Amino acid sequence: ALIPLNSQSVAAEDFIRSSVTNRVLFVKGTEAAASPTVSSTPTISTIDPRKTAASFVSKNFSKLGVGATTLKSQRINKDLLGMNHVSYNQFYRRIPVFAGEVLVHTNNKGEFSSASSSLATALRVRSVAKIKRYKAVAKAVAAWKAEFKIKKRHSVKKVKQYILDMGVVSNKAEN
Protein backbone atom coordinates (compact mmCIF):
# COMPACT_ATOMS: atom_id res chain seq x y z
CA ALA A 1 0.00 0.00 0.00
CA LEU A 2 1.15 3.52 -0.73
CA ILE A 3 1.53 5.76 2.30
CA PRO A 4 1.07 9.44 1.43
CA LEU A 5 3.49 11.50 3.45
CA ASN A 6 1.21 14.32 4.47
CA SER A 7 0.23 13.84 8.12
CA GLN A 8 1.73 15.26 11.31
CA SER A 9 5.02 14.17 12.90
CA VAL A 10 4.82 12.59 16.37
CA ALA A 11 7.81 10.47 17.40
CA ALA A 12 10.88 11.43 19.48
CA GLU A 13 13.70 9.32 18.02
CA ASP A 14 17.18 10.66 17.36
CA PHE A 15 17.61 11.42 13.67
CA ILE A 16 21.22 11.19 12.48
CA ARG A 17 21.83 13.33 9.39
CA SER A 18 24.63 13.61 6.85
CA SER A 19 26.83 16.63 7.62
CA VAL A 20 27.12 17.27 3.86
CA THR A 21 23.60 16.69 2.52
CA ASN A 22 21.51 16.99 5.72
CA ARG A 23 19.65 13.83 4.65
CA VAL A 24 18.50 11.42 7.36
CA LEU A 25 20.84 8.42 7.39
CA PHE A 26 19.83 6.62 10.56
CA VAL A 27 17.17 6.82 13.25
CA LYS A 28 18.01 5.56 16.72
CA GLY A 29 15.07 3.96 18.45
CA THR A 30 13.82 4.71 21.90
CA GLU A 31 11.81 2.24 23.95
CA ALA A 32 8.90 1.16 21.74
CA ALA A 33 8.76 4.70 20.33
CA ALA A 34 7.16 3.78 17.05
CA SER A 35 5.52 0.50 17.99
CA PRO A 36 1.75 0.39 17.62
CA THR A 37 -0.29 0.31 20.80
CA VAL A 38 -1.65 -3.10 21.71
CA SER A 39 -4.42 -3.75 24.19
CA SER A 40 -2.76 -6.66 25.99
CA THR A 41 0.76 -7.33 27.23
CA PRO A 42 2.92 -7.90 24.13
CA THR A 43 4.27 -11.35 23.46
CA ILE A 44 6.73 -12.34 20.76
CA SER A 45 3.91 -12.76 18.24
CA THR A 46 1.68 -9.83 19.37
CA ILE A 47 3.13 -6.98 17.32
CA ASP A 48 3.24 -7.31 13.54
CA PRO A 49 6.54 -5.79 12.29
CA ARG A 50 4.69 -4.42 9.24
CA LYS A 51 2.36 -2.44 11.52
CA THR A 52 5.33 -1.19 13.55
CA ALA A 53 7.07 -0.06 10.35
CA ALA A 54 3.91 1.60 9.00
CA SER A 55 3.45 3.41 12.31
CA PHE A 56 7.06 4.66 12.26
CA VAL A 57 6.78 5.89 8.66
CA SER A 58 3.45 7.65 9.16
CA LYS A 59 4.59 9.34 12.39
CA ASN A 60 7.97 10.47 11.07
CA PHE A 61 7.61 11.38 7.40
CA SER A 62 8.31 15.09 7.91
CA LYS A 63 11.47 14.37 9.91
CA LEU A 64 12.65 12.08 7.09
CA GLY A 65 12.44 15.11 4.76
CA VAL A 66 10.81 13.46 1.78
CA GLY A 67 8.30 16.16 0.88
CA ALA A 68 5.74 15.29 -1.80
CA THR A 69 6.80 11.70 -2.32
CA THR A 70 5.21 8.45 -1.24
CA LEU A 71 6.68 5.31 0.24
CA LYS A 72 5.55 1.84 -0.76
CA SER A 73 6.19 -1.21 1.40
CA GLN A 74 8.20 -3.66 -0.70
CA ARG A 75 9.37 -6.56 1.42
CA ILE A 76 10.11 -7.86 4.88
CA ASN A 77 13.15 -9.94 5.77
CA LYS A 78 13.74 -11.80 9.02
CA ASP A 79 17.36 -12.40 10.04
CA LEU A 80 18.90 -15.19 12.10
CA LEU A 81 18.47 -13.19 15.33
CA GLY A 82 14.72 -12.90 14.74
CA MET A 83 14.91 -9.20 13.84
CA ASN A 84 12.68 -8.01 11.01
CA HIS A 85 13.69 -5.50 8.36
CA VAL A 86 10.78 -3.85 6.54
CA SER A 87 11.73 -2.06 3.32
CA TYR A 88 9.90 0.95 1.87
CA ASN A 89 10.78 2.28 -1.58
CA GLN A 90 10.35 5.95 -2.48
CA PHE A 91 8.17 7.13 -5.38
CA TYR A 92 7.70 10.58 -6.90
CA ARG A 93 4.59 11.00 -9.08
CA ARG A 94 4.35 7.18 -9.27
CA ILE A 95 7.90 6.89 -10.61
CA PRO A 96 10.41 5.00 -8.42
CA VAL A 97 13.33 7.00 -7.02
CA PHE A 98 16.57 5.09 -7.62
CA ALA A 99 17.99 3.92 -4.26
CA GLY A 100 15.29 5.88 -2.36
CA GLU A 101 14.61 3.56 0.54
CA VAL A 102 13.84 3.39 4.24
CA LEU A 103 14.55 0.20 6.17
CA VAL A 104 12.66 -0.07 9.44
CA HIS A 105 14.22 -2.56 11.83
CA THR A 106 12.24 -4.28 14.59
CA ASN A 107 13.34 -6.60 17.37
CA ASN A 108 12.14 -10.20 17.66
CA LYS A 109 8.98 -8.98 19.43
CA GLY A 110 8.08 -6.69 16.51
CA GLU A 111 8.94 -3.51 18.44
CA PHE A 112 10.73 -0.62 16.73
CA SER A 113 14.51 -0.85 17.01
CA SER A 114 15.94 1.58 14.43
CA ALA A 115 15.67 2.75 10.83
CA SER A 116 18.15 3.48 8.08
CA SER A 117 17.46 5.75 5.14
CA SER A 118 18.72 6.73 1.70
CA LEU A 119 15.75 8.88 0.70
CA ALA A 120 15.97 11.69 -1.83
CA THR A 121 14.80 14.97 -0.33
CA ALA A 122 13.07 17.99 -1.85
CA LEU A 123 12.72 16.49 -5.32
CA ARG A 124 11.92 19.01 -8.04
CA VAL A 125 11.93 17.07 -11.27
CA ARG A 126 9.82 16.66 -14.37
CA SER A 127 8.19 13.27 -14.46
CA VAL A 128 8.19 13.29 -18.26
CA ALA A 129 11.33 11.95 -19.92
CA LYS A 130 13.55 14.45 -21.78
CA ILE A 131 14.40 11.97 -24.53
CA LYS A 132 12.45 9.26 -26.32
CA ARG A 133 12.54 5.70 -24.99
CA TYR A 134 14.44 4.26 -27.97
CA LYS A 135 17.14 6.96 -27.69
CA ALA A 136 17.55 6.29 -23.96
CA VAL A 137 17.89 2.56 -24.63
CA ALA A 138 20.46 3.17 -27.39
CA LYS A 139 22.51 5.46 -25.11
CA ALA A 140 22.37 3.00 -22.21
CA VAL A 141 23.41 0.05 -24.39
CA ALA A 142 26.28 2.09 -25.93
CA ALA A 143 27.50 3.18 -22.47
CA TRP A 144 27.26 -0.39 -21.14
CA LYS A 145 29.19 -1.78 -24.13
CA ALA A 146 31.88 0.90 -23.79
CA GLU A 147 32.24 0.39 -20.03
CA PHE A 148 32.55 -3.37 -20.22
CA LYS A 149 34.18 -3.55 -23.68
CA ILE A 150 31.37 -5.69 -25.11
CA LYS A 151 31.49 -6.41 -28.85
CA LYS A 152 28.43 -8.69 -29.24
CA ARG A 153 24.95 -7.48 -30.18
CA HIS A 154 22.53 -7.29 -27.24
CA SER A 155 18.81 -6.81 -26.95
CA VAL A 156 17.00 -4.95 -24.22
CA LYS A 157 14.08 -6.87 -22.73
CA LYS A 158 12.62 -4.35 -20.29
CA VAL A 159 12.97 -0.63 -19.72
CA LYS A 160 11.86 1.11 -16.51
CA GLN A 161 11.85 4.79 -15.78
CA TYR A 162 13.53 5.92 -12.51
CA ILE A 163 14.28 9.24 -10.92
CA LEU A 164 17.97 9.53 -10.09
CA ASP A 165 18.81 11.97 -7.30
CA MET A 166 22.21 13.31 -8.33
CA GLY A 167 22.67 14.73 -4.82
CA VAL A 168 22.76 11.17 -3.46
CA VAL A 169 25.14 10.01 -6.19
CA SER A 170 27.54 12.94 -5.75
CA ASN A 171 27.01 13.27 -1.94
CA LYS A 172 25.97 16.91 -2.32
CA ALA A 173 23.00 18.75 -0.90
CA GLU A 174 21.39 19.63 -4.23
CA ASN A 175 19.39 17.08 -6.22
PDB file of all heavy atoms in Angstrom, residues 134-163:
ATOM      1  N   TYR A 134      13.467   4.964 -27.121  1.00  0.00           N
ATOM      2  CA  TYR A 134      14.438   4.265 -27.970  1.00  0.00           C
ATOM      3  C   TYR A 134      15.812   4.924 -27.921  1.00  0.00           C
ATOM      4  O   TYR A 134      16.834   4.256 -27.989  1.00  0.00           O
ATOM      5  CB  TYR A 134      13.919   4.121 -29.412  1.00  0.00           C
ATOM      6  CG  TYR A 134      13.909   5.405 -30.221  1.00  0.00           C
ATOM      7  CD1 TYR A 134      15.016   5.760 -31.004  1.00  0.00           C
ATOM      8  CD2 TYR A 134      12.809   6.250 -30.205  1.00  0.00           C
ATOM      9  CE1 TYR A 134      15.007   6.930 -31.736  1.00  0.00           C
ATOM     10  CE2 TYR A 134      12.796   7.420 -30.936  1.00  0.00           C
ATOM     11  CZ  TYR A 134      13.903   7.757 -31.704  1.00  0.00           C
ATOM     12  OH  TYR A 134      13.896   8.919 -32.428  1.00  0.00           O
ATOM     13  N   LYS A 135      15.845   6.268 -27.789  1.00  0.00           N
ATOM     14  CA  LYS A 135      17.135   6.961 -27.689  1.00  0.00           C
ATOM     15  C   LYS A 135      17.802   6.667 -26.340  1.00  0.00           C
ATOM     16  O   LYS A 135      19.013   6.482 -26.270  1.00  0.00           O
ATOM     17  CB  LYS A 135      16.965   8.468 -27.864  1.00  0.00           C
ATOM     18  CG  LYS A 135      16.695   8.887 -29.287  1.00  0.00           C
ATOM     19  CD  LYS A 135      16.650  10.403 -29.405  1.00  0.00           C
ATOM     20  CE  LYS A 135      16.395  10.816 -30.837  1.00  0.00           C
ATOM     21  NZ  LYS A 135      16.356  12.279 -30.972  1.00  0.00           N
ATOM     22  N   ALA A 136      17.006   6.602 -25.288  1.00  0.00           N
ATOM     23  CA  ALA A 136      17.546   6.288 -23.961  1.00  0.00           C
ATOM     24  C   ALA A 136      18.122   4.879 -23.948  1.00  0.00           C
ATOM     25  O   ALA A 136      19.208   4.649 -23.404  1.00  0.00           O
ATOM     26  CB  ALA A 136      16.458   6.435 -22.900  1.00  0.00           C
ATOM     27  N   VAL A 137      17.409   3.949 -24.563  1.00  0.00           N
ATOM     28  CA  VAL A 137      17.893   2.562 -24.630  1.00  0.00           C
ATOM     29  C   VAL A 137      19.199   2.498 -25.421  1.00  0.00           C
ATOM     30  O   VAL A 137      20.165   1.858 -25.000  1.00  0.00           O
ATOM     31  CB  VAL A 137      16.811   1.637 -25.248  1.00  0.00           C
ATOM     32  CG1 VAL A 137      17.396   0.266 -25.566  1.00  0.00           C
ATOM     33  CG2 VAL A 137      15.630   1.513 -24.308  1.00  0.00           C
ATOM     34  N   ALA A 138      19.250   3.168 -26.559  1.00  0.00           N
ATOM     35  CA  ALA A 138      20.463   3.166 -27.388  1.00  0.00           C
ATOM     36  C   ALA A 138      21.654   3.756 -26.626  1.00  0.00           C
ATOM     37  O   ALA A 138      22.766   3.209 -26.666  1.00  0.00           O
ATOM     38  CB  ALA A 138      20.223   3.944 -28.682  1.00  0.00           C
ATOM     39  N   LYS A 139      21.433   4.848 -25.898  1.00  0.00           N
ATOM     40  CA  LYS A 139      22.511   5.465 -25.106  1.00  0.00           C
ATOM     41  C   LYS A 139      22.980   4.534 -23.987  1.00  0.00           C
ATOM     42  O   LYS A 139      24.169   4.403 -23.741  1.00  0.00           O
ATOM     43  CB  LYS A 139      22.046   6.789 -24.495  1.00  0.00           C
ATOM     44  CG  LYS A 139      22.034   7.953 -25.436  1.00  0.00           C
ATOM     45  CD  LYS A 139      21.610   9.208 -24.686  1.00  0.00           C
ATOM     46  CE  LYS A 139      22.300  10.398 -25.276  1.00  0.00           C
ATOM     47  NZ  LYS A 139      22.074  11.621 -24.525  1.00  0.00           N
ATOM     48  N   ALA A 140      22.023   3.899 -23.313  1.00  0.00           N
ATOM     49  CA  ALA A 140      22.370   3.000 -22.213  1.00  0.00           C
ATOM     50  C   ALA A 140      23.153   1.793 -22.718  1.00  0.00           C
ATOM     51  O   ALA A 140      24.155   1.392 -22.120  1.00  0.00           O
ATOM     52  CB  ALA A 140      21.109   2.558 -21.474  1.00  0.00           C
ATOM     53  N   VAL A 141      22.717   1.211 -23.823  1.00  0.00           N
ATOM     54  CA  VAL A 141      23.411   0.053 -24.392  1.00  0.00           C
ATOM     55  C   VAL A 141      24.815   0.457 -24.825  1.00  0.00           C
ATOM     56  O   VAL A 141      25.795  -0.257 -24.566  1.00  0.00           O
ATOM     57  CB  VAL A 141      22.604  -0.561 -25.561  1.00  0.00           C
ATOM     58  CG1 VAL A 141      23.444  -1.564 -26.347  1.00  0.00           C
ATOM     59  CG2 VAL A 141      21.338  -1.220 -25.030  1.00  0.00           C
ATOM     60  N   ALA A 142      24.959   1.619 -25.482  1.00  0.00           N
ATOM     61  CA  ALA A 142      26.280   2.092 -25.927  1.00  0.00           C
ATOM     62  C   ALA A 142      27.206   2.321 -24.731  1.00  0.00           C
ATOM     63  O   ALA A 142      28.382   1.937 -24.762  1.00  0.00           O
ATOM     64  CB  ALA A 142      26.130   3.374 -26.745  1.00  0.00           C
ATOM     65  N   ALA A 143      26.682   2.937 -23.662  1.00  0.00           N
ATOM     66  CA  ALA A 143      27.501   3.183 -22.465  1.00  0.00           C
ATOM     67  C   ALA A 143      27.905   1.867 -21.811  1.00  0.00           C
ATOM     68  O   ALA A 143      29.054   1.697 -21.378  1.00  0.00           O
ATOM     69  CB  ALA A 143      26.733   4.058 -21.475  1.00  0.00           C
ATOM     70  N   TRP A 144      26.990   0.921 -21.733  1.00  0.00           N
ATOM     71  CA  TRP A 144      27.263  -0.388 -21.140  1.00  0.00           C
ATOM     72  C   TRP A 144      28.328  -1.120 -21.939  1.00  0.00           C
ATOM     73  O   TRP A 144      29.277  -1.672 -21.376  1.00  0.00           O
ATOM     74  CB  TRP A 144      25.963  -1.187 -21.073  1.00  0.00           C
ATOM     75  CG  TRP A 144      26.098  -2.541 -20.469  1.00  0.00           C
ATOM     76  CD1 TRP A 144      26.284  -2.836 -19.156  1.00  0.00           C
ATOM     77  CD2 TRP A 144      26.063  -3.788 -21.154  1.00  0.00           C
ATOM     78  NE1 TRP A 144      26.357  -4.189 -18.972  1.00  0.00           N
ATOM     79  CE2 TRP A 144      26.225  -4.803 -20.195  1.00  0.00           C
ATOM     80  CE3 TRP A 144      25.896  -4.151 -22.487  1.00  0.00           C
ATOM     81  CZ2 TRP A 144      26.229  -6.145 -20.520  1.00  0.00           C
ATOM     82  CZ3 TRP A 144      25.900  -5.491 -22.812  1.00  0.00           C
ATOM     83  CH2 TRP A 144      26.071  -6.467 -21.836  1.00  0.00           C
ATOM     84  N   LYS A 145      28.205  -1.110 -23.271  1.00  0.00           N
ATOM     85  CA  LYS A 145      29.186  -1.781 -24.127  1.00  0.00           C
ATOM     86  C   LYS A 145      30.565  -1.137 -23.979  1.00  0.00           C
ATOM     87  O   LYS A 145      31.580  -1.829 -23.915  1.00  0.00           O
ATOM     88  CB  LYS A 145      28.749  -1.733 -25.592  1.00  0.00           C
ATOM     89  CG  LYS A 145      27.662  -2.716 -25.928  1.00  0.00           C
ATOM     90  CD  LYS A 145      27.329  -2.640 -27.413  1.00  0.00           C
ATOM     91  CE  LYS A 145      26.396  -3.739 -27.830  1.00  0.00           C
ATOM     92  NZ  LYS A 145      26.122  -3.699 -29.266  1.00  0.00           N
ATOM     93  N   ALA A 146      30.602   0.190 -23.931  1.00  0.00           N
ATOM     94  CA  ALA A 146      31.880   0.899 -23.793  1.00  0.00           C
ATOM     95  C   ALA A 146      32.522   0.609 -22.435  1.00  0.00           C
ATOM     96  O   ALA A 146      33.723   0.359 -22.348  1.00  0.00           O
ATOM     97  CB  ALA A 146      31.666   2.397 -23.970  1.00  0.00           C
ATOM     98  N   GLU A 147      31.724   0.615 -21.382  1.00  0.00           N
ATOM     99  CA  GLU A 147      32.242   0.393 -20.030  1.00  0.00           C
ATOM    100  C   GLU A 147      32.822  -1.002 -19.866  1.00  0.00           C
ATOM    101  O   GLU A 147      33.867  -1.188 -19.262  1.00  0.00           O
ATOM    102  CB  GLU A 147      31.111   0.613 -19.002  1.00  0.00           C
ATOM    103  CG  GLU A 147      31.505   0.347 -17.578  1.00  0.00           C
ATOM    104  CD  GLU A 147      32.424   1.389 -16.971  1.00  0.00           C
ATOM    105  OE1 GLU A 147      32.453   2.532 -17.477  1.00  0.00           O
ATOM    106  OE2 GLU A 147      33.117   1.062 -16.000  1.00  0.00           O
ATOM    107  N   PHE A 148      32.129  -1.992 -20.414  1.00  0.00           N
ATOM    108  CA  PHE A 148      32.554  -3.374 -20.219  1.00  0.00           C
ATOM    109  C   PHE A 148      33.224  -3.987 -21.457  1.00  0.00           C
ATOM    110  O   PHE A 148      33.454  -5.180 -21.507  1.00  0.00           O
ATOM    111  CB  PHE A 148      31.357  -4.228 -19.759  1.00  0.00           C
ATOM    112  CG  PHE A 148      30.818  -3.781 -18.441  1.00  0.00           C
ATOM    113  CD1 PHE A 148      29.644  -3.051 -18.370  1.00  0.00           C
ATOM    114  CD2 PHE A 148      31.511  -4.041 -17.263  1.00  0.00           C
ATOM    115  CE1 PHE A 148      29.146  -2.617 -17.139  1.00  0.00           C
ATOM    116  CE2 PHE A 148      31.019  -3.615 -16.041  1.00  0.00           C
ATOM    117  CZ  PHE A 148      29.837  -2.894 -15.979  1.00  0.00           C
ATOM    118  N   LYS A 149      33.490  -3.141 -22.446  1.00  0.00           N
ATOM    119  CA  LYS A 149      34.184  -3.554 -23.676  1.00  0.00           C
ATOM    120  C   LYS A 149      33.503  -4.765 -24.324  1.00  0.00           C
ATOM    121  O   LYS A 149      34.137  -5.756 -24.665  1.00  0.00           O
ATOM    122  CB  LYS A 149      35.653  -3.807 -23.396  1.00  0.00           C
ATOM    123  CG  LYS A 149      36.333  -2.552 -22.847  1.00  0.00           C
ATOM    124  CD  LYS A 149      37.772  -2.734 -22.545  1.00  0.00           C
ATOM    125  CE  LYS A 149      38.428  -1.540 -21.934  1.00  0.00           C
ATOM    126  NZ  LYS A 149      37.722  -0.489 -21.359  1.00  0.00           N
ATOM    127  N   ILE A 150      32.200  -4.636 -24.517  1.00  0.00           N
ATOM    128  CA  ILE A 150      31.375  -5.692 -25.107  1.00  0.00           C
ATOM    129  C   ILE A 150      31.299  -5.469 -26.613  1.00  0.00           C
ATOM    130  O   ILE A 150      31.003  -4.368 -27.073  1.00  0.00           O
ATOM    131  CB  ILE A 150      29.943  -5.674 -24.508  1.00  0.00           C
ATOM    132  CG1 ILE A 150      29.976  -5.777 -22.996  1.00  0.00           C
ATOM    133  CG2 ILE A 150      29.077  -6.755 -25.143  1.00  0.00           C
ATOM    134  CD1 ILE A 150      30.456  -7.094 -22.451  1.00  0.00           C
ATOM    135  N   LYS A 151      31.529  -6.503 -27.386  1.00  0.00           N
ATOM    136  CA  LYS A 151      31.488  -6.409 -28.851  1.00  0.00           C
ATOM    137  C   LYS A 151      30.207  -7.006 -29.428  1.00  0.00           C
ATOM    138  O   LYS A 151      29.769  -6.626 -30.488  1.00  0.00           O
ATOM    139  CB  LYS A 151      32.692  -7.144 -29.462  1.00  0.00           C
ATOM    140  CG  LYS A 151      34.033  -6.649 -28.970  1.00  0.00           C
ATOM    141  CD  LYS A 151      34.462  -5.428 -29.733  1.00  0.00           C
ATOM    142  CE  LYS A 151      35.892  -5.082 -29.356  1.00  0.00           C
ATOM    143  NZ  LYS A 151      36.125  -3.709 -29.197  1.00  0.00           N
ATOM    144  N   LYS A 152      29.600  -7.986 -28.716  1.00  0.00           N
ATOM    145  CA  LYS A 152      28.426  -8.690 -29.236  1.00  0.00           C
ATOM    146  C   LYS A 152      27.197  -7.787 -29.263  1.00  0.00           C
ATOM    147  O   LYS A 152      27.098  -6.814 -28.526  1.00  0.00           O
ATOM    148  CB  LYS A 152      28.117  -9.921 -28.379  1.00  0.00           C
ATOM    149  CG  LYS A 152      29.202 -10.959 -28.366  1.00  0.00           C
ATOM    150  CD  LYS A 152      28.814 -12.247 -27.678  1.00  0.00           C
ATOM    151  CE  LYS A 152      28.135 -12.085 -26.372  1.00  0.00           C
ATOM    152  NZ  LYS A 152      27.840 -13.331 -25.686  1.00  0.00           N
ATOM    153  N   ARG A 153      26.243  -8.179 -30.110  1.00  0.00           N
ATOM    154  CA  ARG A 153      24.954  -7.480 -30.185  1.00  0.00           C
ATOM    155  C   ARG A 153      24.083  -7.931 -29.006  1.00  0.00           C
ATOM    156  O   ARG A 153      24.026  -9.109 -28.686  1.00  0.00           O
ATOM    157  CB  ARG A 153      24.290  -7.825 -31.507  1.00  0.00           C
ATOM    158  CG  ARG A 153      22.967  -7.151 -31.715  1.00  0.00           C
ATOM    159  CD  ARG A 153      22.463  -7.422 -33.121  1.00  0.00           C
ATOM    160  NE  ARG A 153      21.085  -7.072 -33.277  1.00  0.00           N
ATOM    161  CZ  ARG A 153      20.649  -5.839 -33.495  1.00  0.00           C
ATOM    162  NH1 ARG A 153      21.512  -4.853 -33.590  1.00  0.00           N
ATOM    163  NH2 ARG A 153      19.360  -5.592 -33.627  1.00  0.00           N
ATOM    164  N   HIS A 154      23.394  -6.985 -28.382  1.00  0.00           N
ATOM    165  CA  HIS A 154      22.533  -7.288 -27.240  1.00  0.00           C
ATOM    166  C   HIS A 154      21.152  -6.705 -27.470  1.00  0.00           C
ATOM    167  O   HIS A 154      20.999  -5.689 -28.129  1.00  0.00           O
ATOM    168  CB  HIS A 154      23.117  -6.708 -25.943  1.00  0.00           C
ATOM    169  CG  HIS A 154      24.361  -7.392 -25.510  1.00  0.00           C
ATOM    170  ND1 HIS A 154      24.341  -8.554 -24.800  1.00  0.00           N
ATOM    171  CD2 HIS A 154      25.657  -7.091 -25.704  1.00  0.00           C
ATOM    172  CE1 HIS A 154      25.574  -8.947 -24.565  1.00  0.00           C
ATOM    173  NE2 HIS A 154      26.398  -8.066 -25.102  1.00  0.00           N
ATOM    174  N   SER A 155      20.166  -7.346 -26.880  1.00  0.00           N
ATOM    175  CA  SER A 155      18.809  -6.814 -26.951  1.00  0.00           C
ATOM    176  C   SER A 155      18.365  -6.420 -25.548  1.00  0.00           C
ATOM    177  O   SER A 155      18.784  -7.012 -24.562  1.00  0.00           O
ATOM    178  CB  SER A 155      17.846  -7.840 -27.542  1.00  0.00           C
ATOM    179  OG  SER A 155      17.776  -8.968 -26.710  1.00  0.00           O
ATOM    180  N   VAL A 156      17.527  -5.427 -25.490  1.00  0.00           N
ATOM    181  CA  VAL A 156      16.998  -4.945 -24.224  1.00  0.00           C
ATOM    182  C   VAL A 156      15.598  -5.527 -24.068  1.00  0.00           C
ATOM    183  O   VAL A 156      14.745  -5.380 -24.936  1.00  0.00           O
ATOM    184  CB  VAL A 156      16.949  -3.402 -24.203  1.00  0.00           C
ATOM    185  CG1 VAL A 156      16.299  -2.904 -22.932  1.00  0.00           C
ATOM    186  CG2 VAL A 156      18.347  -2.834 -24.376  1.00  0.00           C
ATOM    187  N   LYS A 157      15.368  -6.206 -22.943  1.00  0.00           N
ATOM    188  CA  LYS A 157      14.081  -6.871 -22.730  1.00  0.00           C
ATOM    189  C   LYS A 157      13.074  -5.992 -22.006  1.00  0.00           C
ATOM    190  O   LYS A 157      11.891  -6.067 -22.247  1.00  0.00           O
ATOM    191  CB  LYS A 157      14.290  -8.168 -21.957  1.00  0.00           C
ATOM    192  CG  LYS A 157      15.073  -9.187 -22.749  1.00  0.00           C
ATOM    193  CD  LYS A 157      15.242 -10.467 -21.986  1.00  0.00           C
ATOM    194  CE  LYS A 157      16.069 -11.421 -22.839  1.00  0.00           C
ATOM    195  NZ  LYS A 157      16.331 -12.660 -22.168  1.00  0.00           N
ATOM    196  N   LYS A 158      13.548  -5.149 -21.088  1.00  0.00           N
ATOM    197  CA  LYS A 158      12.625  -4.347 -20.295  1.00  0.00           C
ATOM    198  C   LYS A 158      13.271  -3.013 -19.951  1.00  0.00           C
ATOM    199  O   LYS A 158      14.447  -2.957 -19.608  1.00  0.00           O
ATOM    200  CB  LYS A 158      12.271  -5.098 -19.009  1.00  0.00           C
ATOM    201  CG  LYS A 158      11.185  -4.458 -18.208  1.00  0.00           C
ATOM    202  CD  LYS A 158      10.800  -5.335 -17.025  1.00  0.00           C
ATOM    203  CE  LYS A 158       9.657  -4.726 -16.258  1.00  0.00           C
ATOM    204  NZ  LYS A 158       9.274  -5.545 -15.126  1.00  0.00           N
ATOM    205  N   VAL A 159      12.493  -1.968 -20.046  1.00  0.00           N
ATOM    206  CA  VAL A 159      12.972  -0.629 -19.721  1.00  0.00           C
ATOM    207  C   VAL A 159      12.050  -0.049 -18.656  1.00  0.00           C
ATOM    208  O   VAL A 159      10.834  -0.095 -18.793  1.00  0.00           O
ATOM    209  CB  VAL A 159      12.968   0.293 -20.966  1.00  0.00           C
ATOM    210  CG1 VAL A 159      13.388   1.702 -20.592  1.00  0.00           C
ATOM    211  CG2 VAL A 159      13.864  -0.264 -22.051  1.00  0.00           C
ATOM    212  N   LYS A 160      12.642   0.466 -17.569  1.00  0.00           N
ATOM    213  CA  LYS A 160      11.865   1.111 -16.513  1.00  0.00           C
ATOM    214  C   LYS A 160      12.384   2.520 -16.306  1.00  0.00           C
ATOM    215  O   LYS A 160      13.591   2.757 -16.352  1.00  0.00           O
ATOM    216  CB  LYS A 160      11.982   0.339 -15.198  1.00  0.00           C
ATOM    217  CG  LYS A 160      11.163  -0.925 -15.165  1.00  0.00           C
ATOM    218  CD  LYS A 160      11.199  -1.566 -13.814  1.00  0.00           C
ATOM    219  CE  LYS A 160      10.253  -0.832 -12.901  1.00  0.00           C
ATOM    220  NZ  LYS A 160      10.100  -1.486 -11.594  1.00  0.00           N
ATOM    221  N   GLN A 161      11.480   3.417 -16.062  1.00  0.00           N
ATOM    222  CA  GLN A 161      11.845   4.795 -15.780  1.00  0.00           C
ATOM    223  C   GLN A 161      12.091   4.946 -14.278  1.00  0.00           C
ATOM    224  O   GLN A 161      11.325   4.453 -13.456  1.00  0.00           O
ATOM    225  CB  GLN A 161      10.711   5.722 -16.219  1.00  0.00           C
ATOM    226  CG  GLN A 161      11.018   7.194 -16.021  1.00  0.00           C
ATOM    227  CD  GLN A 161       9.848   8.064 -16.461  1.00  0.00           C
ATOM    228  OE1 GLN A 161       8.693   7.649 -16.427  1.00  0.00           O
ATOM    229  NE2 GLN A 161      10.144   9.273 -16.875  1.00  0.00           N
ATOM    230  N   TYR A 162      13.197   5.625 -13.905  1.00  0.00           N
ATOM    231  CA  TYR A 162      13.529   5.922 -12.513  1.00  0.00           C
ATOM    232  C   TYR A 162      13.914   7.384 -12.398  1.00  0.00           C
ATOM    233  O   TYR A 162      14.390   7.984 -13.358  1.00  0.00           O
ATOM    234  CB  TYR A 162      14.734   5.094 -12.028  1.00  0.00           C
ATOM    235  CG  TYR A 162      14.417   3.676 -11.681  1.00  0.00           C
ATOM    236  CD1 TYR A 162      14.454   2.678 -12.643  1.00  0.00           C
ATOM    237  CD2 TYR A 162      14.080   3.320 -10.382  1.00  0.00           C
ATOM    238  CE1 TYR A 162      14.167   1.366 -12.329  1.00  0.00           C
ATOM    239  CE2 TYR A 162      13.793   2.007 -10.058  1.00  0.00           C
ATOM    240  CZ  TYR A 162      13.832   1.039 -11.034  1.00  0.00           C
ATOM    241  OH  TYR A 162      13.538  -0.260 -10.711  1.00  0.00           O
ATOM    242  N   ILE A 163      13.757   7.912 -11.214  1.00  0.00           N
ATOM    243  CA  ILE A 163      14.283   9.237 -10.915  1.00  0.00           C
ATOM    244  C   ILE A 163      15.598   9.027 -10.193  1.00  0.00           C
ATOM    245  O   ILE A 163      15.671   8.280  -9.222  1.00  0.00           O
ATOM    246  CB  ILE A 163      13.304  10.041 -10.045  1.00  0.00           C
ATOM    247  CG1 ILE A 163      12.028  10.320 -10.848  1.00  0.00           C
ATOM    248  CG2 ILE A 163      13.945  11.321  -9.532  1.00  0.00           C
ATOM    249  CD1 ILE A 163      10.916  10.949 -10.056  1.00  0.00           C
TER     250      ILE A 163
END
